[in-house]
């Protein structure tokens, strides 16, 4: 539930909560995991990746102290949520938290129901039906992107990635359930797909397309259903554009606009100049938007249309703010998680989640190359998806054995390769 609650991070006040409930739920979940009397749980050992994550976090904290952002709430929450302290922790714990099919099913169900809500809100916002948005406090006409699907986070890229995450797991939920639950999964998937369209964000459209194509290429059995689904979605989109011409005009205008592209070019060019001038330290964590105008030069190819924005590339943004060492530490930690997922168990029960991790992971990479990702849910889902399909030994988990029969005590902690066992036949009397 704490992961789902991250969809409302930064907006809990608009929902009437005086405290960030996702933080409360996360703390409660970790406490429950720590005190749970599970004698069959695996043992944890320190691995090099854990030291790598600690050093990466320490480098970021050092940058905050050196450049004076250690008391900035925005920088603190970015360190926790988007750089990686909470995602790192979720990745390490994922093999234990989601050790069984039932536990993984709970995650899929929670994200499916979350997708129903944020998909509904996004569609209502995209169609201009603001009277149907619940709660009304998240309808903010003064917002610069008011006519786009902002969702609970009030930010189009974050909302688009949340919709992609929920839609991906809603597809898994629909495939693994029957009856009314399957209908809920299908409805959640469709609402999330429509919501991504209404974000009017090209990086989100591209991310969804890349993720879907990757799954279809990997899983042959899904090719025919995917073609049918694609045709249905295309016809539904054409019908929507014909029935509501304003939607088609908005999509067409957004697809052809160039100003936001110029903003990205100028921000990324400035970040490259920062890296060249300050390769070791950068300009300080969460400070680029404050000093960007000092590094922006007029290009002969495109105008300067905006300053004071973030780098529209996650890796380049880390390099500009933390220096090349900080960016390399973060990339190496993420690469370790990807390697762990590739080497993870090939259990049949994990197959749907491996496909979900592939689809969402590639989508996340696409968006990370074209936009900043500073909100909690998109990054947490990425690390959880990679963690629960990983080889647990790379995360430090060592199987304990049941004292009664000596069998491995935890189903999540197993070899990524099946063991070959000799057949045993009963001897004739």
């Amino acid at each position: 539930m704490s992961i789902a609650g991250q969809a409302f991070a930064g907006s809990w006040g608009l929902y009437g909560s005086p405290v960030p409930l996702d933080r409360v739920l996360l703390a409660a979940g970790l406490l429950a995991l720590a005190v749970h009397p599970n004698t069959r749980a695996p043992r944890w050992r320190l691995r090099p990746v854990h030291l790598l994550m600690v050093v990466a976090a320490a480098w970021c904290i050092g940058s905050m102290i050196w450049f004076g952002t250690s008391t900035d709430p925005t920088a603190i929450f970015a360190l926790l949520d988007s750089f990686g302290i909470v995602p790192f922790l979720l990745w390490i714990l994922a093999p234990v938290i989601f050790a069984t099919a039932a536990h993984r099913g709970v995650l899929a169900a929670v994200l499916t129901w979350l997708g129903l809500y944020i998909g509904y809100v996004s569609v209502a916002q995209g169609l201009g039906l603001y009277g149907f948005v619940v709660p009304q406090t998240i309808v903010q006409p003064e917002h610069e992107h008011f006519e786009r699907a902002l969702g609970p986070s009030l930010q189009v890229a974050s909302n688009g990635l949340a919709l992609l995450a929920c839609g991906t797991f809603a597809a898994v939920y629909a495939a693994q359930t029957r009856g009314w639950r399957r209908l809920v999964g299908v409805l959640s998937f469709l609402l999330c797909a429509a919501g991504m369209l209404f974000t009017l964000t090209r990086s989100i459209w591209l991310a969804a397309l890349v993720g879907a194509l990757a799954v279809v290429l990997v899983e042959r059995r899904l090719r025919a259903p995917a073609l049918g689904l694609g045709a249905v979605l295309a016809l539904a989109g054409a019908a929507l554009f014909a029935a509501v011409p304003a939607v088609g005009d908005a999509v067409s205008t957004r697809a052809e606009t160039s100003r936001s592209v110029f903003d990205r070019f100028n921000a990324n060019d400035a970040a490259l100049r920062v890296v060249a001038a300050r390769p070791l330290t950068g300009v300080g964590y969460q400070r680029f938007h404050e000093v960007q105008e000092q590094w922006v030069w007029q290009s002969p190819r495109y105008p300067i249309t905006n300053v004071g924005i973030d780098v529209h590339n996650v890796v380049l943004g880390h390099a500009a703010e933390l220096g090349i060492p900080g960016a390399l530490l973060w990339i190496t930690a993420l690469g370790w998680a990807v390697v762990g997922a590739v080497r993870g168990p090939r259990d049949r029960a994990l197959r749907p989640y491996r496909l979900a991790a592939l689809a969402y992971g590639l989508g996340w990479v696409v968006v990370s190359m074209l936009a900043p990702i500073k909100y909690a849910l998109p990054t947490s889902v990425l690390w959880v998806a990679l963690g629960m399909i990983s080889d647990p030994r790379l995360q430090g988990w060592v199987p304990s054995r049941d004292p009664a029969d000596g069998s491995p005590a935890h189903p999540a902690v197993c070899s990524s390769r099946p063991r070959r066992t000799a057949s045993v036949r009963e001897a004739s009397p």
Side-chain angles (χ1 to χ4, degrees):
M1 290 298 293
S2 65
I3 296 176
Q6 290 179 343
F8 310 94
S11 301
W12 282 110
L14 300 176
Y15 285 80
S17 175
V19 297
L21 294 182
D22 58 306
R23 311 289 175 181
V24 176
L25 291 171
L26 177 63
L30 293 177
L31 179 61
L33 183 65
V35 302
H36 190 277
N38 185 359
T39 58
R40 294 168 60 87
R43 293 174 289 113
W44 184 80
R45 291 182 179 177
L46 192 66
R47 293 285 188 255
V49 66
H50 305 135
L51 298 178
L52 173 66
M53 291 176 172
V54 169
V55 173
W59 186 279
C60 189
I61 293 171
S63 175
M64 293 168 62
I65 295 173
W66 183 262
F67 289 97
T69 60
S70 58
T71 58
D72 181 4
T74 301
I76 294 172
F77 284 119
L79 167 67
L80 290 172
D81 298 331
S82 60
F83 183 80
I85 291 183
V86 171
F88 289 167
L89 184 60
L90 291 175
W91 177 76
I92 293 171
L93 296 176
V96 174
I97 298 174
F98 304 106
T100 66
H103 292 161
R104 293 189 292 270
V106 170
L107 175 66
V110 168
L111 291 179
T112 296
W113 286 98
L114 176 64
L116 278 178
Y117 172 69
I118 62 175
Y120 164 77
V121 168
S122 298
V123 170
Q125 291 174 329
L127 293 175
L129 304 175
Y130 298 107
F132 291 89
V133 176
V134 181
Q136 282 289 296
T137 50
I138 65 174
V139 178
Q140 300 189 5
E142 70 279 4
H143 197 286
E144 62 176 335
H145 296 148
F146 174 64
E147 296 182 351
R148 298 161 68 178
L150 297 170
S153 66
L154 302 181
Q155 206 274 342
V156 287
S158 171
N159 188 48
L161 275 175
L163 289 164
L164 179 60
C166 291
T168 300
F169 279 88
V172 173
Y173 184 74
Q176 294 188 326
T177 55
R178 297 290 184 271
W180 67 268
R181 291 183 178 84
R182 170 168 288 183
L183 293 178
V184 169
V186 171
L187 179 59
S188 178
F189 173 82
L190 294 176
L191 285 174
C192 289
M196 284 186 280
L197 173 67
F198 288 125
T199 63
L200 302 181
T201 304
R202 287 165 292 189
S203 61
I204 297 298
W205 300 344
L206 181 60
L209 179 61
V210 169
L213 289 176
V215 170
V216 170
L217 290 175
V218 169
E219 188 61 58
R220 295 181 179 179
R221 294 177 299 175
L222 295 178
R223 293 177 184 176
L227 288 175
L229 179 60
V232 170
L233 292 177
L235 290 174
L240 175 64
F241 296 158
V244 189
V247 174
D249 293 341
V251 172
S252 177
T253 300
R254 184 61 186 170
E256 296 173 359
T257 188
S258 57
R259 176 172 176 172
S260 60
V261 177
F262 296 155
D263 293 344
R264 286 176 170 83
F265 286 163
N266 283 312
N268 292 351
D269 288 347
L272 289 172
R273 295 186 189 103
V274 169
V275 173
R278 300 182 180 180
L280 294 180
T281 63
V283 294
Y285 191 57
Q286 294 297 299
R287 286 191 70 244
F288 178 83
H289 63 279
E290 298 177 3
V291 302
Q292 181 196 2
E293 61 182 10
Q294 304 173 20
W295 301 90
V296 172
W297 299 351
Q298 178 64 66
S299 170
R301 295 172 294 169
Y302 38 82
I304 298 175
T305 55
N306 195 9
V307 293
I309 62 176
D310 292 304
V311 184
H312 279 57
N313 182 297
V314 171
V315 175
L316 182 57
H318 286 330
E321 293 185 335
L322 298 172
I324 294 176
L328 287 177
L329 288 169
W330 182 84
I331 292 172
T332 306
L334 180 59
W336 189 294
V338 172
V339 170
V342 172
R343 293 180 53 183
R346 293 298 189 269
D347 295 352
R348 186 175 181 180
L350 284 176
R351 181 66 175 176
Y353 296 95
R354 297 189 71 84
L355 294 175
L358 174 66
Y360 180 72
L362 288 178
W364 188 94
V365 169
V366 168
V367 177
S368 73
M369 300 299 291
L370 300 171
I373 301 177
K374 306 180 71 172
Y375 288 77
L377 177 67
T379 303
S380 290
V381 171
L382 172 71
W383 286 84
V384 166
L386 293 175
M388 68 180 178
I389 64 170
S390 178
D391 181 351
R393 295 170 299 180
L394 297 181
Q395 291 149 288
W397 296 107
V398 180
S400 58
R401 293 188 175 273
D402 189 289
D405 57 9
S407 61
H410 201 279
V413 184
C414 58
S415 173
S416 59
R417 297 180 180 178
R419 294 181 179 179
R420 183 175 300 174
T421 56
S423 59
V424 179
R425 296 184 179 181
E426 185 178 359
S428 300

